[in-house]
Amino acid sequence: MASSSTSFGRFKMNSKLDNNSDGFLTISEYAGKGGVDVGDDLVVLFSHLEYAFKRIAALVASPANSSLGRTSGGGEDVSSGRDKPKPLDTVSNEIILSSLRKSGKVAVMASEEDDAPTWIADDAPFVVVTDPLDGSRNIDASIPTGTIFGIYNRLVELDSLPVDEKAMLNSLQSGSRLIAAGYVLYSSATIICTTFGSGSHAFTLDHSTGDFVLTHPNIKIPPRGQIYSVNDARYFDWPEGLRRYIDTIRQGKGKFPKKYSARYICSLVADLHRTLMYGGVAMNPRDHLRLVYEANPLSFVVEQAGGKGSDGKNRILSIQPVKLHQRLPLFLGSPDDIEELESYGDVQQTVNPGYDV
């Protein structure tokens, strides 16, 4: 075994690499005692999450998903505020829950697919919130999908409360209390982009070894991009401020004197990943995305990469959730772009006539 020392941003990691190694660190090596040392419990949890993500990646890429991906009922469950789940959403949810149970490290899981949190173990240290399969409506068209997750410490001061109550309160923690978060992109490559609170880093699945290896250390979103990502078909339902902002940057008359281009996949993880790499802003201006499962974890990742997450007025991570499936507008991206967008004031869409697609 040869010893190698590698510097990534503020971290200096020592990893024992065998003679055939190309020098890439796995997530376990990065997070463990030879790396940033996030603690054994979190390393164990991540190893089980990795297994779940690999299973979902295989499922999404399988010919069998053509039937699983079809809508079952479709639309929105008005009573709960959740999208009606598709079979593939449900399977992904079960895969993640099974892995969390087997880890022995998770007290409660809250999922976009469930009406209420699931209490798993009384003495486990962590709380996991997740959107198991974001963008699943795109499955039949083979458009990229993703998983979003956030991890909190269990609030031990709530241990004496009834199970349902402590499960809910543990799941409604402010995003500012996240200890780790990330997303998984299922596309031409399967990529985990994650943060433990000290920078954001992306790990790509190496199919030859089955490991997620560090390919994008210490990601830094450009201070400003030249791409905006939003469904332009909703333009006439937008408030005046948002229309003016989009009109201005498209014409190159904003604070950045070049014309912006539009790129929109309608898969939140995919649109955000591109924004993180190239800069700009990804947004949904109406009350549609979930604070607990989507906005908080993704904002944590973006902030750790030097970007900003906003609801158009406020920092996402400063908003205290009051409902498990609470929805809000979401704007994520380069700090200069988000600040310019917020300066227009009226950017949150309040008109919501209901959309079929």
Side-chain angles (χ1 to χ4, degrees):
M1 299 286 283
S3 180
S4 171
S5 177
T6 310
S7 293
F8 293 137
R10 288 179 287 172
F11 306 134
K12 186 173 183 180
M13 286 164 261
N14 295 301
S15 177
K16 290 190 178 295
L17 306 170
D18 62 40
N19 292 330
N20 296 322
S21 173
D22 58 9
F24 284 124
L25 292 170
T26 66
I27 293 183
S28 295
E29 289 170 336
Y30 170 81
K33 289 184 170 60
V36 295
D37 194 8
V38 299
D40 291 344
D41 286 341
L42 199 50
V43 171
V44 170
L45 172 54
F46 256 79
S47 70
H48 284 79
L49 283 172
E50 286 181 67
Y51 176 72
F53 300 151
K54 284 184 277 190
R55 286 190 63 192
I56 295 171
L59 184 64
V60 167
S62 169
N65 77 31
S66 61
S67 59
L68 282 172
R70 295 194 185 105
T71 302
S72 175
E76 181 179 314
D77 184 340
V78 177
S79 63
S80 68
R82 296 189 297 108
D83 288 341
K84 288 185 178 179
K86 298 180 180 180
L88 196 57
D89 295 305
T90 302
V91 174
S92 300
N93 194 53
E94 291 170 351
I95 288 171
I96 292 175
L97 178 58
S98 175
S99 289
L100 298 186
R101 288 188 189 279
K102 291 176 181 177
S103 76
K105 303 300 180 183
V106 178
V108 59
M109 168 181 146
S111 168
E112 191 275 328
E113 297 304 323
D114 298 325
D115 289 326
T118 300
W119 190 263
I120 298 173
D122 289 339
D123 56 353
F126 301 122
V127 175
V128 174
V129 297
T130 184
D131 181 351
L133 194 61
D134 168 72
S136 58
R137 69 179 60 189
N138 293 322
I139 285 289
D140 287 347
S142 296
I143 291 173
T145 53
T147 296
I148 303 168
F149 64 95
I151 303 172
Y152 297 91
N153 285 315
R154 186 184 97 246
L155 298 174
V156 295
E157 61 269 27
L158 304 178
D159 284 352
S160 62
L161 295 176
V163 169
D164 289 349
E165 187 175 353
K166 65 183 179 182
M168 182 64 72
L169 292 175
N170 269 285
S171 303
L172 291 177
Q173 295 186 59
S174 165
S176 61
R177 299 179 67 103
L178 282 162
I179 61 168
Y183 62 80
V184 189
L185 176 66
Y186 308 113
S187 185
S188 56
T190 300
I191 297 172
I192 298 176
C193 184
T194 190
T195 180
F196 296 100
S198 298
S200 291
H201 314 274
F203 299 79
T204 302
L205 180 60
D206 181 346
H207 290 280
S208 68
T209 65
D211 294 321
F212 283 96
V213 296
L214 182 62
T215 51
H216 299 75
N218 204 30
I219 295 169
K220 294 297 180 187
I221 190 170
R224 182 179 288 277
Q226 204 175 334
I227 296 172
Y228 72 93
S229 180
V230 68
N231 189 344
D232 281 284
R234 314 295 187 223
Y235 179 91
F236 294 104
D237 293 331
W238 292 346
E240 176 63 24
L242 183 58
R243 291 202 301 267
R244 285 193 298 110
Y245 169 73
I246 295 296
D247 289 344
T248 299
I249 62 173
R250 280 197 295 207
Q251 296 175 75
K253 296 180 179 180
K255 294 182 179 179
F256 185 61
K258 289 187 178 181
K259 294 179 180 179
Y260 277 51
S261 293
R263 300 286 187 273
Y264 182 63
I265 302 172
C266 194
S267 178
L268 178 58
V269 167
D271 282 317
L272 175 62
H273 186 70
R274 182 197 54 249
T275 302
L276 205 60
M277 296 294 105
Y278 302 147
V281 57
M283 68 183 90
N284 190 323
R286 63 189 176 104
D287 288 338
H288 181 69
L289 297 172
R290 289 85 173 167
L291 175 59
V292 171
Y293 312 110
E294 296 165 320
N296 272 337
L298 295 181
S299 293
F300 191 32
V301 171
V302 170
E303 284 198 5
Q304 288 296 316
K308 291 193 171 187
S310 171
D311 70 349
K313 296 179 180 179
N314 307 293
R315 176 182 177 236
I316 291 292
L317 296 182
S318 70
I319 301 172
Q320 175 60 50
V322 294
K323 294 189 297 183
L324 197 60
H325 298 285
Q326 181 175 339
R327 296 178 184 246
L328 78 176
L330 181 60
F331 303 86
L332 298 164
S334 297
D336 292 353
D337 285 309
I338 296 295
E339 288 174 10
E340 182 175 358
L341 181 148
E342 288 179 329
S343 73
Y344 282 75
D346 185 18
V347 297
Q348 296 177 327
Q349 177 182 336
T350 56
V351 175
N352 191 0
Y355 303 113
D356 292 330
V357 295

